[in-house]
Amino acid sequence: MQVISFGQAVDRAIEDAMVRDETIVLIGEDVPMLRAPLFARFGADRVLAAPISEAAFFGAAAGAAMAGLRPVVELYMVDFIAVALDAILNHIAKLEAFSGGKWRAPLVVRAPSGAGYGDGGQHGQSLWGSLASIPGLTVVVASTPADAYGLMTTALAHDGPVIFMEPKLLSEECLEFLGRGGRDTVTFDVPADGGRGVVPDPPHAIPFGSAAVRREGADLTIASVAVGVHRALAAAAILESDGISCEVLDLRSLRPLDVKTVVASVGKTGRLLAVDEDYREYGLSGELAAVCLEAGLSPRFDRVCVEDTLPYARHLEKAALPNVDRIIRAARELVNA
Amino acid sequence: MQVISFGQAVDRAIEDAMVRDETIVLIGEDVPMLRAPLFARFGADRVLAAPISEAAFFGAAAGAAMAGLRPVVELYMVDFIAVALDAILNHIAKLEAFSGGKWRAPLVVRAPSGAGYGDGGQHGQSLWGSLASIPGLTVVVASTPADAYGLMTTALAHDGPVIFMEPKLLSEECLEFLGRGGRDTVTFDVPADGGRGVVPDPPHAIPFGSAAVRREGADLTIASVAVGVHRALAAAAILESDGISCEVLDLRSLRPLDVKTVVASVGKTGRLLAVDEDYREYGLSGELAAVCLEAGLSPRFDRVCVEDTLPYARHLEKAALPNVDRIIRAARELVNA
Amino acid sequence: MDLPHLYRQMLRARAYELAVEDLWNHGFISGEMHLGTGEEAVAAGVVTQLGDGDGLALTHRCSPALVVRGVPLAPMLRELLGAEDGLCGGRGGHMHLFSKEHLAATSGIVGASLPTAAGFALANSRLRPGAIAVAFTGAGAMNQGMALETLNLAVAWRLPLVIICIDNGWAITTTSDSVTGGSLVERAQGFGMRAETVNGRDVRAVYKAAAKQIERARCGKGPSFLLATCPRLDGHFLGDPLIRMANKPIAEGKKVFGSVLSSVVSRGGGGLADRAGGVTQMMSVMAKARRSGTRERRGDPILAVYKTMNKHEAERDRIDAEVAAEIEAAVAEALADVGEGSDG
Amino acid sequence: MDLPHLYRQMLRARAYELAVEDLWNHGFISGEMHLGTGEEAVAAGVVTQLGDGDGLALTHRCSPALVVRGVPLAPMLRELLGAEDGLCGGRGGHMHLFSKEHLAATSGIVGASLPTAAGFALANSRLRPGAIAVAFTGAGAMNQGMALETLNLAVAWRLPLVIICIDNGWAITTTSDSVTGGSLVERAQGFGMRAETVNGRDVRAVYKAAAKQIERARCGKGPSFLLATCPRLDGHFLGDPLIRMANKPIAEGKKVFGSVLSSVVSRGGGGLADRAGGVTQMMSVMAKARRSGTRERRGDPILAVYKTMNKHEAERDRIDAEVAAEIEAAVAEALADVGEGSDG
Ligand SMILES: Cc1ncc(C[n+]2csc(CCOP(=O)(O)OP(=O)(O)O)c2C)c(N)n1
Ligand SMILES: Cc1ncc(C[n+]2csc(CCOP(=O)(O)OP(=O)(O)O)c2C)c(N)n1
Ligand SMILES: [Mg+2]
Ligand SMILES: [Mg+2]
């Protein structure tokens, strides 16, 4: 049992798998420096620096996966997936279907996501909703080091394509690189249990499609992923003193979604608050509403999400993100109205 | 009053607007031939043939819109937006927010969408759910020639970016080009009222965010867009003889969504069937569920959507699309269960 | 270079396409069916040089290369028919034919064959040294970002990749040169890539040029680019309106020109020069389509290779007969149980 | 060429950046702050030649060009501070500075300045003949598909576009040449575009080279590409770990090397050669960063232009004083009410 950082947990899951499986290669811009320990251990043959050509190296990673490698392909941030989407949407996600089930290709996309360090609207999106809408993909989002290790381990053993999202605000390494830059004059609202945590030893893989109940409660289900889970837990602690008992679900896997756990929880509490750092409309919050209605539930429902392009100014950004205040307000309204 | 085809209606709306407004230009692959009448009337200065470089010419169209033109930029099919998404997601959609509201840019994306003519899974997607999740965009989908004219006219007068989706199965011109190719040995299940129809004279613009109630009913609301609307109407006619009275909504505009009309209808019927040619998860059907729950409604709910990569074979494709049979089955279950 | 073998492969590809055309005309094949007629010399000249482990990434115009590669014909045809026992279970279709066994993939997205092949090449360099990958691409596709990026990527990573770019003069209704700056060979060279041009109608020339590039790739000397010029014999796809207009200018042309003419004479719009310019350009595209699109025998590579086989007349006759029989059998097998896949 | 004017513009750009650095160090600026120190000669040499209606599309490293273009300084600074009366209401930020009035736009997406500028050029060709557009881009960005596509698009459409590509040798921690095939000038020429290279530290050379290309564009002779080589004085962004390591190798390097070393000696993984290769390459990147990243005065274009102003000493002193005062005033104005925009 060892307390490590979120970023270390991801790196370690990759490192451990690379030792076991020689077909795993790492591809991305600057990976020799960004993943220096891996580069030093496995060399330039397995840790490949790419030009700023996401469309080509994502497409190539897909081809390499079809031909027997297991590439982990990195984006600097998920926002930049827009230049490489074709490889994902029209190629890697469709291979299994197009080949009549005869050809599957293992590919893990490692994509830092999310805001909270004042980098503006092109560098703080989550976009998991849109990605999770694509048949043929698996989309997972970890919120703790243990889950990061466990989900990445499962991803690396999976025979189809997986999008692994890595919330930047939980990664000390990302934050240091993109936000702090060695200063002690800035602060970030990093959820303590997200940024560092125990990874069990030996660490275990976490299956896709299994949500975690982070806190049990009776009055209200708050379902979220990533940073939102920690905001929800913080809100739940405060709401408790109001006499509102919240159940907090960490969905972890958006595609497949753990419908059973969601339905069981909402069936019990009768109320659902979706907390999502991705955009509000046509995304995760809607999907949660749909699976509840499909299950015959009719919960009281609200959602705390990002509603517009993320603003740069830190006070505006904070207000735009699903923060503890917004969650508390919405929760109170749901329970008291 | 004149009966014209869906494709003619779109072209005519553009042609009429191009006469009124000299800043409208048309950009796309093959547009001199695909839009021959416009090319012949307005010349190569206003109807620009583009290389197969969607990322560049979408980005350029965005720049041109910022600098005073009103580009209509064409995709062969919305599936190909994957190579040009960055211009839309990270640039044109965010301009207004990024500039603090000081800069808006008028741009219309004309994107044929949808399946039904056996062209395989990279050429039959709808993808409007993902597009409608992006703040800063307007996303509209017409289902009749009159609406096509009306929505395109509104789009061309709008000061921000608009995605205008043109269901291929409703466009004789698209179908002839992509599917029939002069043969009389193939048939397509084209909804009669979608493919041809009356465009009022003078035609009128249709405001964004206004759904149309295509059929009134008491037991069940079926909400859809594009071809789905026609399938729903056909199903409703059959369900009527079962004693099931369906209200059919044509949403027309996905962003903004006409929440009021949806809520009013579902409030009345207490049942909602979402019919969507786009993917089932994390899309339109979920958003409809969410707006109902948010409004305090708790309808019985189901959805008939595309659940996987669209198969090529026409019998498999037909089964995968929201067809009349699937709608009828779902509707009966909703009403009788 | 085994000329009879190349002849046989070209003929197989052509005969396959003619069978496809027939099936398409009868309504057994849906959507956009792109034929590779006219490209047989390139397919044969390149693909006969591939062996075990070599990868092949193709475009919407993929049949000649797949036929030459030895992908079984009846399953391919059944795939086009939409049969659930087709090559891809009827789920892929004409633009999405996959054979894992042959490391062969196709895509309907213009430009996508390059990154895919680069990935095949990367995996081969790690897993099967000496094995390479080949991308086929159209010339129009060389304006697509991912294709251009791949020129650089392949050089930067020194991939065992050979890019075969077929310039048939067209991208659907647009003549390639009207939207393409510079020359594609110089473009590839500008990325530091070996590049040359070859007459794509001449199977021997293609074979030789490809042999050099394939050899380089196999020895780890990096990627190269071969521009093969080639006629487009059948328009962009079956039913191409330009070709129909070229063949029946009055009946087919009328439909288009009716609306064009009414637009041209409408009030409002461009000045006289703009309008005249537009119409002139359209006429010239049409005229070019007519010249190139009428199965002009002169440009047909099959004819050229047929002549070179004059010395081997008996063998040629035998090959002709065997290929005809092979394709006939494949079609018969494909059509064995046809109800399911056909229209609707 | 008005050398004192160029000198003033370069100095303004530099002084602005130094002020930004100071604000950043104090925690007033969040996220990634990319300075354009070292690029002032390019900004001044090109942007002083722009006039009414000309468009300007920039990258994440945008300040020098915006300062020279005359975008008001205090609102720009207030934008960086996140103030709601900043240039973009605090909603854009350092990578998204927009001035509609100046037809100036920036983007944090690598490569995006090219298509945007192409669009500005297109609109200008239609609406304001004689007006042009300029794209600034980094050399690393010239591997991005949309940038490459735009080389072709601009030629095909004969756009009044000038592309200024700054080669500072780096893309974050990657040396540009290690992932770039060929030479960028030949690459642009391969698309049929006029292209040349210039010493980006020499403002007079930049001015002259840009003048020719801008003139061509204004006369409708089409696009061109100017590769300006230029040092990177301050690393990729403020707080760049490579620079910090270069400056404090022991304190900063330790953090990185601890985990690297423990990986290097772990069981499993690559062979000795692979490991040695990895470590060697990392050391060499670090060494290069140290050489280029220590504000080495030799490469500083400000120093060069300062010397050329030796003949105009009095004027130089006056300019120095005026610029210092201007920036000081802008900072003071920007900081007037600082609570709101600051950290958190
Ligand atoms: C990204 C993308 N854009 C557009 C299309 C539509 N499209 C299909 S084929 C084609 C022309 C391709 O021309 P070329 O590469 O020369 O190949 P050819 O058809 O001439 O063999 C186009 C534009 C597409 N399939 N994918
Ligand atoms: C599409 C995209 N990919 C990656 C990044 C991350 N990124 C930001 S700047 C940069 C390096 C750019 O190098 P160059 O173009 O040479 O400009 P420089 O920073 O050297 O001025 C990268 C990779 C990005 N912003 N956008
Ligand atoms: Mg072509
Ligand atoms: Mg650089």
Side-chain angles (χ1 to χ4, degrees), chain B residues 175-195:
Chain B
L175 271 188
E176 176 59 32
F177 191 65
L178 302 170
R180 184 173 287 114
R183 293 179 286 180
D184 52 16
T185 47
V186 285
T187 56
F188 307 104
D189 186 7
V190 178
D193 295 339

Side-chain angles (χ1 to χ4, degrees), chain A residues 15 18-19 22 29-30 32-34 36-46 49-55 76-77 79-80 83 117-123 176-183 185-188 310-316 318, chain D residues 24-27 29-32 79-80 82 84 89-96 107-110 140-141 143-144 146 171-174 179 237 239 241-242 244 259-260 263-264 266-270 274-275 278-279 281-282 285-286 340 343-344:
Chain A
E15 191 164 348
M18 284 180 83
V19 171
E22 298 217 331
E29 291 148 24
D30 293 306
M33 294 306 284
L34 293 178
L38 299 178
F39 184 62
R41 184 165 184 183
F42 300 101
D45 253 25
R46 293 186 59 197
I52 313 175
S53 307
E54 287 88 351
Y76 252 106
M77 314 190 178
D79 312 71
F80 308 155
V83 300
Y117 62 102
D119 217 6
Q122 275 172 346
H123 294 66
E176 176 59 31
F177 191 66
L178 301 170
R180 183 173 287 113
R183 294 178 286 180
T185 47
V186 285
T187 56
F188 307 104
L310 281 165
Y312 160 78
R314 295 202 63 200
H315 66 292
L316 299 175
K318 191 173 176 178
Chain D
W24 185 88
N25 279 326
H26 282 89
I29 298 176
S30 63
E32 303 164 80
E79 183 65 22
L80 303 189
E84 291 183 43
R91 291 180 151 73
H94 30 49
M95 289 185 268
H96 318 112
S107 173
I109 302 295
V110 165
N143 291 327
Q144 178 65 240
M146 67 178 117
I172 311 191
T173 71
T174 301
V179 289
F237 41 27
L242 275 188
R244 276 151 55 206
S259 57
V260 168
S263 273
V264 164
S266 299
R267 292 167 67 103
D274 284 341
R275 295 181 191 228
V279 173
Q281 187 180 319
M282 285 170 57
V285 166
M286 228 84 91
E340 248 195 333
D343 172 37

Side-chain angles (χ1 to χ4, degrees), chain D residues 178-192:
Chain D
S178 67
V179 289
T180 301
S183 92
L184 292 184
V185 164
E186 282 170 25
R187 188 182 285 192
Q189 286 165 343
F191 286 89

